[in-house]
Amino acid sequence: MRIGIVCYPTFGGSGVLATELGKALADEGHQVHFITYQQPVRLNVFNTNIFYHEVRVPTYPLFDYPPYEIALASTMVDVIMNYDLDLLHVHYAIPHASAAYMAKQIVKSKNGRNIPVITTLHGTDITLVGKDKTYEPVVTFSINESDAITAVSENLKQVTYKSFPITKEIEVIPNFVDVSRFNKKPFDAFKKVIAHEGEKILVHASNFRKIKRVDDVIKIFAAVRKQMPAKLLMVGDGPERPATEELARELNVIDDIRFVGKQEQMEEILAVSDLFLLPSEYESFGLAALEAMAARVVVISTNAGGLPEIIIHGETGFMANVGDVDAMSEFAISILKNESHLEQMKQAAFERACTFDIQYIIPQYEKLYSRFCRMEIIK
Ligand code: GMT
């Protein structure tokens, strides 16, 4: 098939997922066309089946706000017509679903073709931004106008039905991980640089937004640090970063923390880590947690959103209520003190991640696409 994928090209989970999906589809022999304003960060391979179309937004002195959505819809029309796409798969509703609706109508008026649009909901497009009155009518309309809607967890599906008057069926296709990429042996020299005394390594990765409760990460680490030597790697960047560093200084743990910024080689970092901390207010799924589990890292998180759909409490990781720093600290300390239990849980986390391996999820998307196949479609 010839598939157009529209996503955010950044480190965010929806962009990562969409890029990995496109790469896997290209490996399966499909022709994949990424349509974004920048080369997606995980689009780091050469494959003759992958095409990249940059959305350029010309500026003009009149435009205080350059009209990205119009530029995106026009690029979609151009790619659909010139590469004879079979369908468009847009990730993150805003503004991708409404731009796709506009592109669909334009193509219909030009050549009568009805290009199928599949919208995958990822999380904040529904739970935070989409609900805002400024966007809600357009979000509801464009989701309802999609030919198929998927959500990355059962929780997100339910939240979407509760938050918007959606009249169509939402299908759940969970996020996935390429286990073979994350199941890596630790690079000893790298581990020694971070923890020269063989200290345990904790890690957190996010966009450092309020919803991630990064201050709770620091508080949990400070509690652990009182009990044993340990190091914390903070991966990513975002608005809460300065306040987080300040708290680390206040709690006197800054010397044991490294803020390593945005990282493409997450598998190298996870390979040397013992615990992954994700005390988020909400996660529709928690792709970062799944990637950690695939790297045999035990996750300590909240029980918010879709996290209980991937973590089995007490078996593959630990969960507590949002804000319950004491419980999450106790879980961390007790598992780090018990080496054999830690090893057992690392293995259980890995086995759980294997059930979300890419090989099981790609066929679910292909099956969905095949419902919209034209007779002459090539693979
Ligand atoms: O976590 C973020 O804030 C980024 C956001 C995104 O769309 O890039 O992530 C959302 O989509 C991911 C991929 O489906 C999910 O794994 C994340 O849980 C979800 N984030 C939230 O729901 C807060």
Side-chain angles (χ1 to χ4, degrees):
M1 296 183 78
R2 299 186 199 95
I3 302 155
I5 291 190
V6 181
C7 63
Y8 282 101
T10 54
F11 281 90
S14 61
V16 166
L17 198 280
T19 311
E20 297 294 350
L21 171 63
K23 281 158 58 178
L25 290 166
D27 286 342
E28 289 296 310
H30 299 285
Q31 206 181 79
V32 178
H33 294 258
F34 285 95
I35 305 170
T36 69
Y37 58 82
Q38 238 172 46
Q39 175 103 358
V41 282
R42 288 249 183 129
L43 194 54
N44 46 11
V45 288
F46 176 73
N47 183 322
T48 49
N49 284 337
I50 296 181
F51 296 73
Y52 166 62
H53 309 273
E54 185 168 305
V55 180
R56 277 176 297 106
V57 191
T59 52
Y60 183 68
L62 187 67
F63 298 158
D64 278 344
Y65 304 99
Y68 175 67
E69 201 172 333
I70 295 180
L72 175 61
S74 299
T75 312
M76 285 177 184
V77 171
D78 182 68
V79 179
I80 294 165
M81 310 266 297
N82 287 319
Y83 293 87
D84 195 22
L85 295 193
D86 296 304
L87 60 86
L88 270 182
H89 186 175
V90 305
H91 292 259
Y92 206 91
I94 305 169
H96 302 151
S98 47
Y101 172 76
M102 203 192 301
K104 184 183 174 96
Q105 299 311 315
I106 296 169
V107 171
K108 206 183 274 174
S109 76
K110 277 181 182 283
N111 66 8
R113 249 199 84 203
N114 188 14
I115 177 99
V117 172
I118 295 169
T119 299
T120 291
L121 309 173
H122 278 274
T124 48
D125 45 351
I126 295 302
T127 55
L128 278 184
V129 200
K131 267 203 244 172
D132 191 305
K133 281 221 173 329
T134 326
Y135 298 118
E136 187 277 324
V138 175
V139 173
T140 302
F141 176 81
S142 50
I143 292 177
N144 277 327
E145 287 295 322
S146 304
D147 295 280
I149 311 158
T150 75
V152 298
S153 67
E154 186 57 38
N155 173 271
L156 183 61
K157 171 181 169 172
Q158 298 311 334
V159 171
T160 308
Y161 278 132
K162 252 188 236 150
S163 318
F164 300 88
I166 300 299
T167 52
K168 283 213 168 116
E169 193 201 337
I170 301 177
E171 300 166 56
V172 175
I173 301 185
N175 283 339
F176 58 82
V177 62
D178 180 355
V179 171
S180 65
R181 176 182 160 195
F182 285 89
N183 184 20
K184 278 199 146 194
K185 287 228 167 335
F187 181 39
D188 279 343
F190 177 47
K191 190 166 185 152
K192 283 215 174 84
V193 172
I194 299 159
H196 12 238
E197 309 286 333
E199 299 95 330
K200 292 284 184 235
I201 300 176
L202 291 79
V203 62
H204 168 79
S206 76
N207 51 20
F208 287 53
R209 294 192 185 275
K210 272 241 174 305
I211 197 164
K212 302 291 174 181
R213 298 185 66 100
V214 202
D215 50 345
D216 284 358
V217 174
I218 303 298
K219 289 177 194 163
I220 296 166
F221 179 68
V224 170
R225 201 45 211 86
K226 275 193 185 142
Q227 299 288 321
M228 66 188 74
K231 299 287 178 187
L232 173 65
L233 295 174
M234 296 290 279
V235 184
D237 213 334
E240 293 301 305
R241 158 91 190 262
T244 310
E245 270 194 62
E246 194 50 45
L247 179 65
R249 260 179 228 110
E250 263 170 43
L251 297 179
N252 215 12
V253 285
I254 191 79
D255 292 341
D256 289 313
I257 302 179
R258 279 199 188 200
F259 289 84
V260 296
K262 295 176 183 170
Q263 293 287 330
E264 275 180 51
Q265 301 306 319
M266 204 47 209
E267 63 272 30
E268 309 284 354
I269 292 175
L270 290 169
V272 300
S273 305
D274 296 289
L275 288 189
F276 187 89
L277 303 178
L278 194 64
S280 308
E281 181 94 36
Y282 180 79
E283 290 292 341
S284 67
F285 183 89
L287 185 59
L290 181 63
E291 292 187 339
M293 289 161 71
R296 296 171 194 271
V297 182
V298 173
V299 176
I300 296 190
S301 74
T302 52
N303 50 17
L307 286 165
E309 292 174 46
I310 47 174
I311 297 163
I312 305 171
H313 179 67
E315 204 178 297
T316 70
F318 295 101
M319 291 178 292
N321 291 335
V322 175
D324 196 345
V325 169
D326 289 345
M328 287 183 271
S329 306
E330 273 168 37
F331 290 139
I333 292 161
S334 75
I335 192 70
L336 289 175
K337 279 187 172 169
N338 187 336
E339 195 63 48
S340 65
H341 192 199
L342 178 63
E343 286 309 313
Q344 188 190 323
M345 283 195 96
K346 284 182 174 185
Q347 180 61 21
F350 173 71
E351 284 168 18
R352 178 75 180 146
C354 289
T355 66
F356 292 89
D357 187 59
I358 191 164
Q359 62 172 314
Y360 303 119
I361 311 299
I362 299 303
Q364 296 185 35
Y365 279 114
E366 286 182 303
K367 195 167 166 212
L368 171 66
Y369 296 163
S370 69
R371 301 210 308 253
F372 302 99
C373 267
R374 289 181 291 172
M375 291 310 285
E376 76 278 17
I377 273 169
I378 52 145
K379 191 172 178 185

